[in-house]
Amino acid sequence: MPPNPPHFLSTYDYVIVGAGTAGCVLANRLSADASKRVLLLEAGGVDDWMWIHIPVGYLFCIGNPRTDWCYKTEVEARLNGRSIAYPRGKTLGGSSSINAMIYMRGQARDYDEWAALTGDTGWAWRNVFPVFKQSENHFAGNSDLHGAAGEWRVEEQRLDWDVLHAWQAAAAECGIAPTADFNGGDNTGSAWFQVNQRMGTRWSCAKAFLRPVKARANLTVLTKALATKICIVGDGEHQRAVGVEYLRNGEKHFAAATCEVLLASGAINTPQLLQLSGVGNAAHLHPLGIAVVHDLPGVGENLQDHLQMRLAYKVHGIRTLNEWYHTWRGKLHMAAQFALLRRGPLTMAPSQLGAFAKSDPTQTSANLQYHVQPLSLDKFGEPLHTFPAITMSVCNLRPTSRGHVRLKRDDATAAPAITLNYLSTKVDQRIAVDALKLTRRIAAAPALAHLRPQEFMPGTAFQTDEALLDAAGNIGTTIFHPVGSCKMGRADDASAVVDSRLRVRGIGGLRIIDASIMPTITSGNTNSPTLMIAERGAAMVIDDAKVRC
């Protein structure tokens, strides 16, 4: 309990901060024990807005303060001095309520690398693979590759585009062959993305894991509740987290945790809350007037993201969403398809076709990911173009650039400084240039010739390697995959924030269970890997409680 406790006090066994992907899983699994009292705090509101549930509604959710934190990065030197919008979900379900809905595990090598970096084989692919299956409710039923008994619904997309089939054929002509499924540990090849939807509507983690258990008497879910500080008592090697202060309806509250405080606020908000609580790099906290409770230099460091480079091409003689969207007849058709059949463009994930490839033959596995779309726009939140076009987005799956999340001031309501340092290493610069060249080879392949593709983003004026790197800075943007800012690692890794059981170093009763603990980013979309982390983290909490709580 804090030295001067707020007027409003409550006591629970577990206090979970953040009702995003990880928080919803934790609330479900921990409250299954009726003897444990669980509090789930969410800074955003209830997920009751129509556009959260209509898949194409991400266009209205991203950049909207109702559902998005609406962060912006600091100015990025290698993005040619641009600051970019940095969406993060702010509602029940978190980013799973506004994201691309793509079901992706990554590559086996990702998790084997985690095992090597942490010294814990529990994170190896052979051991996390069953955890992915455990959560999954796959449309094709149980198989060697997929599970069907879990809550996390995975379905095929409910629409088709000839222009994407043409792109897939062109990719095959450039050595990227079609594959049946991206989720077996090697995602090389091209395929239509499988998505987290149920019958054409978004299937968020709030729907999958939270709604079915919200009526449990031992589970309390509070929305519009902004965590402002973790209360830590003791000194030296005997410090312990005992609760969380939060603001709700303009009043300060305190929730005591008799077992553990569990941070599940993601790669931006989790390090922010730790720093506000005096846990972080003393050199960064002292100038802000924050009393240092625990000098932990890795907090907020090691931030990683996939930089997406969006190349766009005008096409001819084939339908894309652009021209369909710009007619009343097209809009009415789309609305009718969704209302009557739960099919058509309103069920679209942001990307329909995906591909994984090597930027050059020396790569040990696919290090590029494509998100291919039958549409084009200048940026999310702006109207589609009026002419037929296709977007070929490509990202480096394993960037070597590292950024950080740091407080600007001692204020929980103020956005932190988010710096990605995109393209800050020679390796990342080389891969960006190679990725643009490969994309142009695909666009020039015979299978697309009948569509007469014309590049207009970034434009054909960029030809030399130096010019292409400049072009990457012009068109590069986030693909919404921030991870790693509170990484797990071995005891001798001074930059590690948590151990392999996700316990914060040097503070008892405090665990981080979200994407921030990834030591390295996964080779693909990061939402389902975060869900897997939450499943493993929940099991660890339950197991440890048998002895300590």
Side-chain angles (χ1 to χ4, degrees), residues 242-270:
V242 296
V244 175
E245 293 183 13
Y246 63 96
L247 290 174
R248 191 166 191 251
N249 298 324
E251 296 177 309
K252 184 181 289 189
H253 299 250
F254 178 73
T258 59
C259 292
E260 290 194 64
V261 172
L262 307 172
L263 303 187
S265 298
I268 306 302
N269 295 79
T270 284

Side-chain angles (χ1 to χ4, degrees), residues 192-339:
W192 290 69
F193 287 123
Q194 295 177 11
V195 291
N196 294 118
Q197 293 184 8
R198 183 180 287 278
M199 298 297 291
T201 60
R202 177 187 291 274
W203 194 245
S204 69
C205 283
K207 283 184 178 178
F209 297 95
L210 190 58
R211 284 190 185 181
V213 303
K214 279 187 74 174
R216 287 176 178 168
N218 63 322
L219 174 61
T220 302
V221 180
L222 297 180
T223 56
K224 301 289 185 179
L226 176 66
T228 58
K229 186 177 183 180
I230 306 158
C231 183
I232 300 168
V233 299
D235 52 42
E237 298 179 358
H238 304 289
Q239 295 189 105
R240 184 173 183 84
V242 296
V244 175
E245 293 183 13
Y246 63 96
L247 290 174
R248 191 166 191 251
N249 298 324
E251 296 177 309
K252 184 181 289 189
H253 299 250
F254 178 73
T258 59
C259 292
E260 290 194 64
V261 172
L262 307 172
L263 303 187
S265 298
I268 306 302
N269 295 79
T270 284
Q272 178 192 28
L273 181 58
L274 284 169
Q275 292 170 37
L276 287 165
S277 307
V279 179
N281 191 328
H284 300 151
L285 299 181
H286 279 309
L288 299 175
I290 297 174
V292 177
V293 174
H294 183 45
D295 187 4
L296 198 56
V299 172
E301 305 302 306
N302 192 51
L303 181 64
Q304 300 156 61
D305 188 16
H306 292 139
L307 178 69
Q308 175 181 235
M309 296 176 292
R310 299 173 59 248
L311 291 88
Y313 290 78
K314 294 182 180 179
V315 292
H316 304 81
I318 199 165
R319 185 183 68 175
T320 72
L321 186 61
N322 284 9
E323 63 276 19
W324 202 1
Y325 170 83
H326 282 287
T327 68
W328 281 109
R329 183 177 180 180
K331 289 177 180 177
L332 288 172
H333 187 198
M334 288 188 284
Q337 278 186 304
F338 184 79

